Amino acid sequence: MTTLTLPRLLRASRLLVLAAAIGGPLLSVAAPAAPADAGTPRGKPIEAILTSPPHVPPPTNRNYPAKVIVNLEVVEKTMQISEGVNYTFWTFGGTVPGSFIRVRQGDTVEFHLKNHPGSKMPHNIDLHGVTGPGGGAASSFTAPGHESQFTFKALNEGIYVYHCATAPVGMHVANGMYGLILVEPPQGLPKVDKEYYVMQGDFYTTGKYREKGHQPFDMEKAIDEKPTYVLFNGAEGALTGDKAITANVGEKVRLYIGNGGPNLISSFHVIGAIFDQVRFEGGSNVQKNVQTTVIPAGGAAIATFTARVPGSYVMVDHSLFRAFNKGALAILRIDGAENKAIYSGKEVDAVYLGDRAQPNLAAVTQAAQGAAAGKLTKDEQIKAGQQLFAGTCSVCHQSDGKGMAGVFPPLAKSDFLGAGAAKAIDVVLRGLSGKVTVNGTDYNSVMPPMNQLNDDEVANILTYVFNSWGNPGHVVSKDDVKKARAAAPAAQGQAEHK
Ligand SMILES: [Cu+2]
């Protein structure tokens, strides 16, 4: 919990305002049943096992309160936020979200916060599971190369967010400074087969979504609450492909789901699964049979469900543009025998996921690097284009380019494409509507503009299209696309399409 009474907090007025916003209202809520002060710690001090996401430390398996020592190091480091896109994250423990901490109600926690000597900024920590001013923030302000120590008693059980609260707080959080601490009830949590740690966050880069290279933090977008990325576990693809989380048919799965924010509320949903139970808001009440659970910024939930039918289950923020256009998508893969009585089968992955179903977009990065170095081969363009086509265009034009009779015109051997690259670029950037005749067949439908793609991506997709399925074989360059994008739409032959 956060409060305002601390002199050190008072000194930083910006921090004060944010602290009020985060913690203020909580203070006026009537206290639930008195929390357990389980008395003095017993036994030898225990060093807490910390884990990186999506892993969760094992249960404490203790029936007495102990002194638990937590050593957490802040590390500022550059990591991939999306394929070919780097971002300088500020982390608790080297990962986003930060290390998972697990203690037992009644434990006395001796917290050591270290700030790596390579850091540029001071940091601190506010744990929502702490009862005391600033949730530890005021006692843990730590300059680079220093260490702070404070001790708290874990009075209330539950799943709690922790985060950095150094001004500007929003920026520290936006850079990835948050994680979860689980305070187990004295009797422990019911046994399950798998436990995972998933945490959402919104990110703000100066470049557009998937714009390659190193992307700095964009304060203005953050203030406007217009994220470039909304992500699970700090990177697009952190939990997809071979990094998907897994379970077997018949297993009970428990998810600890946090939301670091700093701005957005998550509508957390697993496509094709129903949560048997959710401890919503991380509190002690249990809601049953939940489809989508709201996770506030700075909040968390514990959700359990049973894996019943094998396949890929897509975890999303059901504010769907975040899922499909900002990265808020993860996969839970369930292995095991089919259960036709519950579900007939047939995977719908590709349709739902597009290029996000791919294990990775490495060819896209390679092409971007080649382009940056000025030595991009046609082959690299085609490879990158093929991967991007799989998510962007194949939904309608199909992966074999043959389209769908009466609805989506073919790209394979399309005489429209025979008219040259300029028209094709225009269609991708500005869309197409009204009557169009392809290979003697009329289509009168709408293709939305694909202008979320950057110049590089359009060039690679079209190079792939032109060099596949018997098409004429042009190479489309990034510059061609750039020029077309800059040109006035009317000059691009709109009239012809109408
Ligand atoms: Cu910080």
Side-chain angles (χ1 to χ4, degrees):
M1 267 202 272
T2 24
T3 88
L4 314 176
T5 51
L6 221 96
R8 279 175 79 173
L9 283 180
L10 282 166
R11 267 187 252 134
S13 60
R14 267 197 289 187
L15 173 57
L16 175 64
V17 172
L18 276 149
I22 294 166
L26 289 178
L27 300 176
S28 60
V29 171
D37 175 349
T40 47
R42 286 189 263 149
K44 270 199 236 149
I46 296 163
E47 164 115 24
I49 299 168
L50 305 187
T51 56
S52 297
H55 303 293
V56 176
T60 61
N61 275 327
R62 252 189 296 115
N63 56 10
Y64 60 90
K67 175 172 172 180
V68 177
I69 296 163
V70 174
N71 281 296
L72 188 58
E73 186 182 40
V74 172
V75 185
E76 300 171 1
K77 66 196 270 203
T78 299
M79 295 185 283
Q80 194 159 280
I81 191 167
S82 178
E83 192 60 50
V85 188
N86 290 325
Y87 187 82
T88 302
F89 293 92
W90 300 345
T91 74
F92 286 109
T95 55
V96 179
S99 309
F100 195 106
I101 306 166
R102 185 169 194 154
V103 302
R104 180 183 175 275
Q105 185 178 14
D107 281 350
T108 296
V109 182
E110 184 182 294
F111 207 100
H112 297 252
L113 187 71
K114 301 165 189 193
N115 190 354
H116 192 276
S119 294
K120 295 201 171 62
M121 307 289 291
H123 301 283
N124 65 9
I125 192 165
D126 167 355
L127 299 116
H128 292 181
V130 166
T131 304
S139 321
S140 59
F141 183 86
T142 311
H146 287 73
E147 175 180 337
S148 301
Q149 182 186 332
F150 63 98
T151 300
F152 68 93
K153 180 160 269 191
L155 292 179
N156 299 68
E157 61 146 309
I159 183 83
Y160 297 96
V161 167
Y162 67 77
H163 63 91
C164 182
T166 303
V169 182
M171 178 180 177
H172 283 251
V173 171
N175 282 340
M177 299 200 77
Y178 45 76
L180 292 181
I181 175 168
L182 171 66
V183 181
E184 289 178 356
Q187 71 281 11
L189 290 168
K191 202 184 156 322
V192 291
D193 301 295
K194 294 269 159 64
E195 290 189 316
Y196 289 109
Y197 171 24
V198 177
M199 199 156 180
Q200 184 170 323
D202 27 296
F203 295 85
Y204 305 81
T205 63
T206 53
K208 286 209 306 183
Y209 173 63
R210 287 190 175 176
E211 191 167 320
K212 305 292 182 276
H214 186 269
Q215 295 295 331
F217 169 70
D218 189 322
M219 188 64 160
E220 220 159 292
K221 278 190 195 168
I223 292 169
D224 292 344
E225 304 189 12
K226 290 196 169 135
T228 329
Y229 294 89
V230 181
L231 302 170
F232 295 121
N233 290 7
E236 192 171 19
L239 297 171
T240 63
D242 49 12
K243 287 186 240 146
I245 58 179
T246 58
N248 298 311
V249 168
E251 286 184 330
K252 249 185 178 266
V253 181
R254 178 181 288 133
L255 298 177
Y256 299 96
I257 315 149
N259 184 6
N263 288 321
L264 300 187
I265 290 171
S266 174
S267 303
F268 188 81
H269 176 76
V270 180
I271 300 173
I274 300 154
F275 299 128
D276 299 326
Q277 298 197 337
V278 176
R279 285 183 59 171
F280 54 98
E281 295 177 9
S284 302
N285 285 339
V286 171
Q287 177 72 289
K288 293 184 180 167
N289 304 316
V290 175
Q291 58 192 302
T292 301
T293 191
V294 167
I295 307 179
I302 304 176
T304 49
F305 65 95
T306 311
R308 296 190 195 278
V309 179
S312 293
Y313 291 75
V314 187
M315 301 187 275
V316 294
D317 180 335
H318 215 293
S319 292
L320 287 173
F321 277 95
R322 298 176 188 169
F324 296 109
N325 302 79
K326 294 184 174 179
L329 188 151
I331 307 257
L332 167 67
R333 206 190 64 240
I334 296 177
D335 297 316
E338 291 286 354
N339 188 338
K340 303 278 188 199
I342 298 179
Y343 187 73
S344 67
K346 179 173 184 243
E347 286 269 348
V348 292
D349 257 1
V351 173
Y352 244 133
L353 298 177
D355 65 12
R356 287 129 187 111
Q358 309 273 339
N360 64 66
L361 289 173
V364 178
T365 315
Q366 223 168 35
Q369 283 163 352
K375 45 176 189 197
L376 178 63
T377 66
K378 179 172 164 181
D379 220 45
E380 284 171 331
Q381 274 195 282
I382 292 172
K383 269 199 200 125
Q386 182 174 16
Q387 293 204 358
L388 292 162
F389 184 91
T392 322
C393 321
S394 69
V395 191
C396 298
H397 293 286
Q398 305 302 298
S399 39
D400 57 7
K402 285 186 183 144
M404 227 178 236
V407 199
F408 304 119
L411 299 178
K413 299 202 178 72
S414 148
D415 56 4
F416 184 100
L417 288 171
K423 276 181 87 174
I425 296 172
D426 189 49
V427 169
V428 173
L429 292 180
R430 302 199 166 81
L432 187 62
S433 59
K435 201 181 91 166
V436 60
T437 308
V438 183
N439 300 345
T441 305
D442 288 346
Y443 296 85
N444 194 350
S445 185
V446 179
M447 169 170 156
M450 301 277 128
N451 50 15
Q452 81 280 7
L453 300 167
N454 64 35
D455 297 347
D456 236 2
E457 292 170 334
V458 174
N460 296 341
I461 289 175
L462 285 177
T463 301
Y464 165 68
V465 168
F466 275 116
N467 290 279
S468 307
W469 319 303
N471 285 340
H474 302 301
V475 170
V476 178
S477 78
K478 185 177 165 178
D479 277 348
D480 297 337
V481 181
K482 197 172 166 186
K483 280 186 206 133
R485 204 190 288 269
Q492 292 288 313
Q494 278 287 71
E496 280 170 53
H497 307 322
K498 291 271 145 94

